[in-house]
Amino acid sequence: MTTNSNAPNEMGTADIGKLLISYALPSIAAQMVSSIYNVVDSIFIGRGVEPLAIAGFGITLPLMNLAGAFGSLVGAGGGTLISIKLGQKDKDGANNVLGNVVVLNIIIGLTVMIFGLTFMDNILMLFGASENTISFARDFMQIILLGNVITHLYFGLLCAVRSSGFPKKAMAITMSSVVVNIILCPIFIFVLQLGIKGAALATVIAQASGLTILIIHFLDKQKYIRLYSKFLKLQKEIVKGIISVGLSPFMLNICACLVVIIVNNQLKIYGGDYAIGAYGVVNKMLMLFAMLVLGLNQGMQPIAGYNFGAKKYSRVIEVFKKTVFLATCVMITAFIVCEIFPHAICSIFADDKQMTDISANAMRIMVLAFPIVGFQMVTSNFFQSIGKAVTAAILSTTRQLLFLIPALLILPKFFLLNGVWYSMPFSDIVSTLLAVYLLRKQFRKLKIEN
């Protein structure tokens, strides 16, 4: 992958297989390093603070998803629009989108920070905190929210770097941030005795280091896409486009926030604080595999977006099919590993038999539908990549709202704690069937227009 001013053009001419690998590998490497950090971070918290701190950490997940929802609204929406503008040879349009991404991230980041800090304890109790876990959750989220603008700008500009033809640079920036995080986290927790606050502080500092590199990149006058002061003002049509395209990942994160609230509260009823901690443990491990698919999706996104903008629909279909194949291989591997070695995996996080046993049981159940989940994840991202915001939003929200949430409310009444775990593969299966239906309709349209 070249890093010169002609970098975006190869997306319309190079071999699709090689192009997908060249774009996906940097994203996969970055996502995997980031996921490994999240796992290591949980291990540091579980063993450097105490096992219940993992439960407190898990309580913060909905609030982090909420902040991430607004970040993805701008970052993913802006990144997709940049790819489409480049496919249309509209350089000024792409630069204009970039400027709007920066301004929107600052405004939304400040808003979420103020709201979160103002209603912190009420929010955490709603999310499933107990007297035993709320102090851990509060200590972590106060620092994360104070750095919220940094987080939003970091992820927003990272999407822009990747979408403007620099996937390897996006990988390098992500990996450098993670390395900073991994170095600082044990120092803050074990040496400086900052506890869970140390983990949060390390995260914010690491993201600030990555954001510095991103800003330097977009101020470079040699770059094809860069920041111009004249574009640092909101424009109604661009904001509308960003929000429209970013609606799918936004709704996905909002739904994820709601789902985790319900999961935590159901776990609190049927399993207690240890079950909440177990969910946090399993989530971290399963995200390792999900991030592999996300890396593939991020590799597919600029290629699909560029070729859709250039009306090269056969290339759009080809990159989708190759991405689905690779994603399916990843998730089948995840299924096998998690079914065979659940206790060995879960025991890494804390030296506590009760939490390990609950986690291992949850893991075996939650991965039951993994062999087909890769297809569903790629399909949802595919619609977003070609600007089909409504369809992508439908796929993103129905799994959570129509399938998962009712299952979470109904199945525990019959299967108790296991009912919470079974609700997840159930919703995966049904949402995959919906993805098949919507995809067939879109492919027929692309073949006719081609």
Side-chain angles (χ1 to χ4, degrees):
M1 174 65 198
T2 60
T3 55
N4 55 39
S5 62
N6 293 318
N9 297 327
E10 69 175 15
M11 288 188 284
T13 58
D15 176 77
I16 287 291
K18 293 179 180 178
L19 196 60
L20 176 61
I21 295 299
S22 70
Y23 270 72
L25 280 180
S27 295
I28 289 172
Q31 293 297 334
M32 283 303 294
V33 171
S34 181
S35 295
I36 290 170
Y37 162 71
N38 286 329
V39 170
V40 173
D41 194 27
S42 296
I43 295 172
F44 287 150
I45 291 172
R47 293 186 174 271
V49 187
E50 63 172 270
L52 274 181
I54 297 179
F57 189 32
I59 295 298
T60 69
L61 186 58
L63 194 52
M64 294 178 72
N65 281 340
L66 184 62
F70 288 102
S72 64
L73 177 68
V74 180
T80 298
L81 282 188
I82 287 173
S83 294
I84 292 174
K85 293 291 185 184
L86 290 173
Q88 296 169 343
K89 311 298 182 185
D90 185 3
K91 180 180 177 181
D92 281 346
N95 285 321
N96 211 346
V97 172
L98 177 63
N100 277 251
V101 164
V102 171
V103 177
L104 274 175
N105 272 318
I106 292 173
I107 293 173
I108 296 174
L110 285 172
T111 303
V112 173
M113 178 192 74
I114 293 169
F115 179 84
L117 290 173
T118 303
F119 302 101
M120 174 73 69
D121 281 9
N122 292 333
I123 293 171
L124 292 175
M125 290 303 293
L126 174 66
F127 289 174
S130 68
E131 292 182 358
N132 298 322
T133 59
I134 191 169
S135 61
F136 297 116
R138 184 193 303 118
D139 287 347
F140 185 82
M141 280 312 304
Q142 282 177 340
I143 294 175
I144 292 296
L145 284 171
L146 286 171
N148 197 52
V149 174
I150 292 173
T151 300
H152 280 226
L153 285 171
Y154 171 69
F155 286 112
L157 292 182
L158 199 64
C159 288
V161 164
R162 187 180 301 108
S163 297
S164 59
F166 295 88
K168 290 182 180 178
K169 190 159 193 175
M171 174 196 70
I173 293 171
T174 302
M175 292 180 71
S176 66
S177 298
V178 170
V179 169
V180 171
N181 211 331
I182 291 175
I183 292 172
L184 293 180
C185 192
I187 293 175
F188 290 162
I189 291 177
F190 295 104
V191 179
L192 300 182
Q193 298 292 305
L194 295 179
I196 199 169
K197 290 181 180 179
L201 186 60
T203 298
V204 173
I205 292 174
Q207 290 175 348
S209 69
L211 177 59
T212 301
I213 301 172
L214 287 163
I215 292 174
I216 292 172
H217 170 90
F218 282 116
L219 290 177
D220 186 350
K221 294 181 179 179
Q222 301 300 316
K223 295 297 184 291
Y224 188 77
I225 301 299
R226 59 183 294 262
L227 283 169
Y228 292 89
S229 58
K230 64 180 179 180
F231 292 137
L232 290 175
K233 54 184 178 181
L234 297 181
Q235 296 184 26
K236 182 178 179 180
E237 289 303 314
I238 293 178
V239 171
K240 183 179 177 181
I242 289 173
I243 293 175
S244 174
V245 177
L247 184 63
S248 172
F250 172 76
M251 292 304 298
L252 182 62
N253 278 282
I254 288 293
C255 290
C257 175
L258 179 59
V259 165
V260 177
I261 292 172
I262 295 173
V263 168
N264 283 344
N265 279 282
Q266 291 292 79
L267 291 175
K268 188 176 179 181
I269 294 171
Y270 294 101
D273 290 332
Y274 271 76
I276 294 174
Y279 179 60
V281 166
V282 176
N283 239 359
K284 295 296 182 184
M285 287 307 306
L286 298 189
M287 284 302 292
L288 276 173
F289 299 101
M291 286 298 126
L292 280 170
V293 178
L294 179 59
L296 289 168
N297 281 339
Q298 289 178 343
M300 175 187 70
Q301 181 268 318
I303 302 169
Y306 183 99
N307 285 284
F308 187 81
K311 298 185 177 180
K312 297 181 178 181
Y313 299 129
S314 62
R315 290 176 63 82
V316 174
I317 294 173
E318 184 181 354
V319 73
F320 168 80
K321 289 181 177 179
K322 291 184 183 298
T323 307
V324 167
F325 172 76
L326 294 173
T328 301
C329 291
V330 168
M331 299 311 279
I332 289 176
T333 301
F335 171 77
I336 295 171
V337 170
C338 292
E339 289 292 343
I340 296 177
F341 306 110
H343 279 86
I345 294 171
C346 296
S347 63
I348 297 172
F349 290 83
D351 188 16
D352 189 288
K353 185 178 185 303
Q354 182 181 357
M355 184 171 289
T356 297
D357 288 343
I358 297 173
S359 302
N361 178 60
M363 179 174 285
R364 277 189 167 139
I365 296 173
M366 289 171 64
V367 301
L368 287 175
F370 264 35
I372 62 173
V373 164
F375 169 83
Q376 193 274 338
M377 293 174 67
V378 174
T379 301
S380 180
N381 185 266
F382 172 72
F383 283 112
Q384 175 197 323
S385 299
I386 61 175
K388 302 297 181 181
V390 174
T391 305
I394 289 172
L395 273 178
S396 299
T397 55
T398 51
R399 178 191 178 274
Q400 314 278 15
L401 295 180
L402 295 185
F403 309 140
L404 182 53
I405 290 177
L408 283 168
L409 297 175
I410 295 171
L411 293 182
K413 295 181 182 298
F414 299 96
F415 303 103
L416 301 178
L417 180 57
N418 278 347
V420 179
W421 312 134
Y422 278 121
S423 64
M424 298 173 198
F426 168 81
S427 62
D428 287 333
I429 293 170
V430 181
S431 61
T432 299
L433 295 175
L434 177 62
V436 170
Y437 171 74
L438 294 175
L439 185 68
R440 290 182 64 184
K441 289 181 63 177
Q442 183 62 48
F443 270 18
R444 282 197 296 266
K445 184 177 180 181
L446 289 180
K447 289 177 180 177
I448 290 173
E449 294 180 358
N450 199 39

